[in-house]
Amino acid sequence: MLRLAAASLAGTAIEFYDFFVYGTAAALVLGPLFFPTFSPVAGTLAAFGTFGVGFVARPLGSILFGHFGDRRGRRPVLVASLLLTGASTVAVGCVPSYGSIGVAAPVLLLVLRFLQGLGLGGEWGGAVLLTAEHAPAGRRGLWSSFPQVGPAVGFLLANGVMLALSATLTDAQFAQWGWRVPFWVAGALALGGLWLRSSLVESPRFLEIDDHARVPLAEVVRDHWRLVLLTAGALSVGYAIFYAVTTWSLAYGTERLGVGRTEMLACIMAAVVVKGSLTPLVALLSDRYGRRPLCLLGCTAAALWMFPMVALLATGAPLLMFLGFLGALLAFVTMFAVLGAYLPELYEPRVRCTGAAVGYNLGGVLGGALTPIVATALAEHSGRVPWGVGAYLTGIALFSLACFALLPETRPVAVAVPEAAVG
């Protein structure tokens, strides 16, 4: 289990590195380079628009790769999704700017971001299911949390490279070529991930299925549509919090508050380190106290903390901003640490790869794709403290709280919960 969990963590970290490095670049440099005819705010909004395309593609990736995951196995999905995401990320680093090829530059950026999202949409379902379906029922929460640590590791890798480049290069060097380096690094990371995953064995739970679904998506839509919508709504707050902290606040702090790139990245990364470190501990608590209670607790904490977070951010003081980010990410991890076990337990094995991944990635569209765009627009029309952003995030938290309240508890059930249990 340790070897399997470590390989899943490493692969997920690499794929999320690819996804996050784009978000950081969108917040820092993509607007002026690819949308130079726009105003600074409009350029940032346009860059965040290409960022959001990746989230729109993720549910499509979960349908595509989920079909093969439910029909052919979880392991092949991990290899194919990693290849697609890695190749498209390297290609982003090679796209000429608007000044070189005109409108073709943002179009290429859009296409490659879509392919990134398509690959990541397949990654999460395969990695989590392979771990969850190998794990003993009494420790499924703990072992399934390892892939959930991957996003934090990927974020730290992406922003660590960006931070090092930002600290050592001039603004002109960073804008000219420095921002491309993290995208090229993705190629080497993808090769390493493929080597790690070459030794993984297929999920025993998948091998036990006698009658595989012919069209998994059709079964999910017919039999589990309400469950998919509830899980998507429940997870939207986690995406909204994470990308408000890691993407929108980075742009807001550097552009509106005048805080340096290095200081903003350091504050965000420190909070993510704590969040990632606590993920296995929170997941272990879910094995003892249940998945749903922790999700309800995290949503409640998020609803209470969003206004204090934006107030602390508006100070521009590194320590206070860190505390604001930390509180938000602690609420986030209380929910998302348990999802590696919770979502697979909600769906029956024959459609689990499709159902769990579609629900997970639809939540990304609701929370992750829109948040940087909406928050940027709201902050533009507010004073120094963006209270509108706090209200927006609080509203999402309350919406997700209602969705979690309608979902059943699954611990320690190892098979699907009947649809009737959802209401």
Side-chain angles (χ1 to χ4, degrees):
M1 279 307 308
L2 185 60
R3 185 167 59 251
L4 175 65
S8 294
L9 188 159
T12 307
I14 292 165
E15 293 237 29
F16 274 92
Y17 167 92
D18 297 349
F19 203 72
F20 290 147
V21 77
Y22 190 101
T24 305
L28 295 177
V29 296
L30 295 187
L33 290 175
F34 290 89
F35 304 96
T37 59
F38 292 11
S39 70
V41 173
T44 300
L45 284 169
F48 281 154
T50 62
F51 174 76
V53 167
F55 286 96
V56 175
R58 282 173 64 169
L60 300 177
S62 63
I63 292 171
L64 173 65
F65 289 103
H67 177 87
F68 292 103
D70 284 322
R71 292 280 298 164
R72 305 297 181 189
R74 323 310 191 195
R75 185 177 176 273
V77 166
L78 297 181
V79 175
S81 63
L82 186 58
L83 279 172
L84 177 59
T85 309
S88 56
T89 303
V90 172
V92 169
C94 301
V95 176
S97 66
Y98 184 94
S100 299
I101 60 173
V103 72
V107 171
L108 285 173
L109 204 64
L110 198 70
V111 171
L112 292 172
R113 180 60 176 173
F114 181 87
L115 293 176
Q116 261 193 332
L118 204 67
L120 190 61
E123 158 66 24
W124 185 86
V128 166
L129 290 191
L130 201 62
T131 307
E133 292 181 340
H134 273 90
R139 284 289 180 266
R140 186 176 295 118
L142 174 62
W143 289 114
S144 300
S145 72
F146 279 75
Q148 292 296 83
V149 178
V153 175
F155 177 85
L156 292 172
L157 283 173
N159 287 273
V161 176
M162 282 288 192
L163 183 60
L165 291 167
S166 178
T168 55
L169 300 177
T170 66
D171 287 346
Q173 290 172 326
F174 185 78
Q176 185 176 13
W177 59 267
W179 68 272
R180 298 181 183 274
V181 173
F183 291 91
W184 297 335
V185 170
L189 293 177
L191 292 176
L194 290 172
W195 176 76
L196 284 171
R197 289 184 166 179
S198 63
S199 62
L200 296 181
V201 296
E202 186 53 75
S203 156
R205 191 69 189 92
F206 173 80
L207 297 175
E208 292 171 2
I209 301 173
D210 296 323
D211 183 23
H212 296 284
R214 291 189 60 191
V215 185
L217 179 63
E219 288 196 25
V220 168
V221 172
R222 184 186 67 234
D223 300 330
H224 304 287
W225 63 270
R226 191 166 182 268
L227 183 57
V228 170
L229 294 179
L230 283 176
T231 53
L235 303 187
S236 61
V237 64
Y239 284 101
I241 290 173
F242 192 82
Y243 289 101
V245 169
T246 61
T247 302
W248 167 74
S249 66
L250 181 58
Y252 182 80
T254 54
E255 295 173 7
R256 288 288 299 275
L257 303 179
V259 181
R261 284 196 306 263
T262 303
E263 289 82 358
M264 285 301 304
L265 284 171
C267 289
I268 296 169
M269 289 173 65
V272 172
V273 167
V274 178
K275 187 271 291 187
S277 302
L278 292 177
T279 298
L281 175 61
V282 176
L284 186 61
L285 292 175
S286 80
D287 282 327
R288 181 166 184 176
Y289 300 107
R291 327 295 189 206
R292 185 172 173 269
L294 289 174
C295 292
L296 294 173
L297 176 62
C299 267
T300 303
L304 295 174
W305 188 249
M306 292 301 96
F307 282 110
M309 184 194 78
V310 297
L312 291 169
L313 169 63
T315 66
L319 179 59
L320 295 179
M321 290 192 297
F322 164 73
L323 292 176
F325 298 152
L326 179 61
L329 292 183
L330 289 179
F332 166 87
V333 77
T334 305
M335 296 175 278
F336 269 53
V338 310
L339 292 182
Y342 194 20
L343 288 190
E345 289 170 347
L346 285 168
Y347 292 88
E348 59 179 307
R350 58 185 276 117
V351 295
R352 184 174 283 166
C353 196
T354 300
V358 169
Y360 183 84
N361 288 298
L362 278 178
V365 176
L366 296 174
L370 297 177
T371 292
I373 300 171
V374 173
T376 299
L378 290 173
E380 174 66 12
H381 300 290
S382 65
R384 183 175 178 85
V385 182
W387 296 120
V389 177
Y392 169 73
L393 295 173
T394 301
I396 294 179
L398 294 174
F399 169 68
S400 292
L401 181 64
C403 292
F404 271 125
L406 294 173
L407 289 172
E409 177 56 67
T410 60
R411 179 192 63 95
V413 179
V415 297
V417 174
E419 183 68 11
V422 189

